[in-house]
Amino acid sequence: MATLLQVDRVQYVFDSDTEESQSLARLYFCIYCLALRSSDDLQHEDDSHFCPQTLDGVASQEAVSKKNKCSNLWRCPSCIHPLFTRATSTLYPPSGESSKPTVKMVYYQVCTFCRWSTRCVGIPDKEVLTGTWAEKTNPTLPRITKLFEYYKYLEQKEKRDNARRSQKKKDFLSIPLQLKQKYTSGKSPGKKSVLGDPLSTLRMKEPSMLKEVEVDSSPTLGLEDLEVAAPGEQVDFTSFSSIGQRLDQPDSQVVSTKEFVPRRSNMFLKQSLRCKTCDHNIIKPEYSPTSIKFKIHLIALNHIPEIRVHKACQLSPGVQSRVILSLCNPTEHVIHTTFLPLDGKLRQPNAQIELPKSEVMVGKYDEASDLLAQPGASPDSIPDDPSLIAYRRGNKVGFFVDVLPDSGLTPGDEIWVGMRFKHEHFGAASVALLLKGEGQVECTWLTHTLYVNVGHVI
Amino acid sequence: SPNVTIAPDALVCDEATLEGSITIGPKCIIHPKAGIYAKDGPIVIGEGNIVEEQTKIINRNPPGITGNTTLIIGDNNIFEVNSEFSGKFIGNNNILEAKAKVGPNTKLSNNCVIGARFHINTEETLPDNTVICGDDYLRRTNNDKLPQQSQQLDYLRRILPNYHFLVQSKPTT
């Protein structure tokens, strides 16, 4: 149990060339390529934008135009928490017609975590629930728009130069096309010329039409520009924003806490992942922002048997010790595994390991059996070798390995062993389909290389 | 305890621990399993305070100081669940959030908020309207009024007697 959350102690190699490895919990498994994939090996695609608090979903273009900000939710400028709308009734003094004072509901925003509220900074309350709170305009906005203009100008210029460079080639190619268009009965509507419109280069803006945009270099502050506190003056730290608060709102970077205003909350993104090799989806979430389910969810933990350190023991250099590793089968099939010595050349572990010589069989994952508290027996009812199998419980088996740390290790060093293990993989067909005779058993053998941190030198 | 004086309309649960010389003011609510320990002097609690479960209020001298001084707690303070106050003075309308801890060197004035799980034992008196919260223990001066707890007081006054035995207040002689 001590190693329950230490998932990084067992590293599966997902790239055999570079021998890069990661914990199985962070890897994906492509059932089409039958290979482990890391997050970097996959193509990330944006599916939908949504606000995690109000659960509003918006289209991608809309999210871009809104600068990925939610229109209904506001965030506290003092901490990162979302603001809540609080309603109170306020007594207004009697107006001209009625002699009685009127009671009106007013709304303001308050942070339930740090108790900051819009009333703290003197922002007047709103009389409508969905009133928007004025955001600070970015003081560098003119410069940003100017830079945008400049980049557009550069883009146009580059296009024009490219067009001019290929002008000769296009002229040459366009002659037979123009002749063809002139002397044939007419081109079919909707079909575009493969060679492109020969007149497109002429339609491109002339160099003189492009507006030159001048951009000033950004000003730099010197030490002499900084405000210097008079000697002996007491600085009131509560009236200044912290560095964290300033970096959290990089566009305005408010210095005084009195200038804090609510800011719009950022939207979250649902991503789908695609295998770069076979173009199949590996992760595909449901589009709806209220749903947390996945249409496709091929994480490695659901397909590959997981090896973990069951019980850490005291290890000392040059002394062979017995360690229990556990093997957990997440699939609905009984699988057989064989352990092989390491053949990698890039990484050298600092301990020798003696692996089980015979095959280790692991029972299938059965949801119903989790409820029954009975000790598991070997799946094929052959008694286990007690010198090999430490325990067996449902789809989990514990087995012994002997670890001999190198004699040159010093106390505190981490001890890593390496191994390969081979197991059956039964494709995506579930047992229910196989029993009906609809699915086909496609058994393949997969081999994984893994490195295990069995503990520290005492 | 014979040294405990409870105002007639205060509500003190029987399962709360009261040790030493303690005076509890009117409209106060002491939850079950709260602990008030008058070790280095008596404790005087004002009006309308809420002391929630597992809270400890201790009159303890700072290290190196001896003597018998009174710990005075003002009005309308809230000690949330599992908070601890062992200072020597606390004003009015303060909030100690859950698991907050104030040591014997610190005094609280009025309208202060000590954020959840924040420990403070600096030798100072926190100025009025100070709010301390977050991982970085950022201090802020709150210009807004803290919300009134009268609704919560009324609710507890109605609910607590249904489920807990109460300490009967003795008529003052």
Side-chain angles (χ1 to χ4, degrees), chain A residues 181-221:
Chain A
Q181 279 174 1
K182 199 172 179 182
Y183 294 107
T184 51
S185 57
K187 61 180 180 184
S188 56
K191 194 179 176 185
K192 277 189 178 175
S193 162
V194 186
L195 299 165
D197 186 358
L199 297 173
S200 64
T201 49
L202 298 174
R203 287 202 201 101
M204 195 74 89
K205 277 184 183 174
E206 284 301 312
S208 55
M209 286 168 75
L210 281 180
K211 204 176 84 185
E212 283 274 346
V213 181
E214 290 293 321
V215 180
D216 317 320
S217 58
S218 62
T220 327
L221 286 179

Side-chain angles (χ1 to χ4, degrees), chain A residues 78-79 86 108 110 112-117 119-121 236-239 242 245 257-258 260, chain B residues 80 95 97 113 115-116 130-131 133-136 138-147 149:
Chain A
S78 186
C79 60
R86 190 165 280 172
Y108 63 101
V110 63
T112 49
F113 181 70
C114 73
R115 292 169 197 268
W116 185 89
S117 75
R119 289 179 169 187
C120 276
V121 286
D236 182 16
F237 287 105
T238 56
S239 63
S242 72
Q245 286 165 346
T257 48
K258 283 176 186 156
F260 275 167
Chain B
E80 287 187 6
I95 300 173
E97 290 187 357
V113 180
T130 305
V131 178
C133 71
D135 286 342
D136 309 326
L138 268 184
R139 291 186 182 200
R140 196 167 59 76
T141 307
N142 191 12
N143 300 326
D144 192 16
K145 268 188 284 177
L146 291 173
Q149 292 299 326

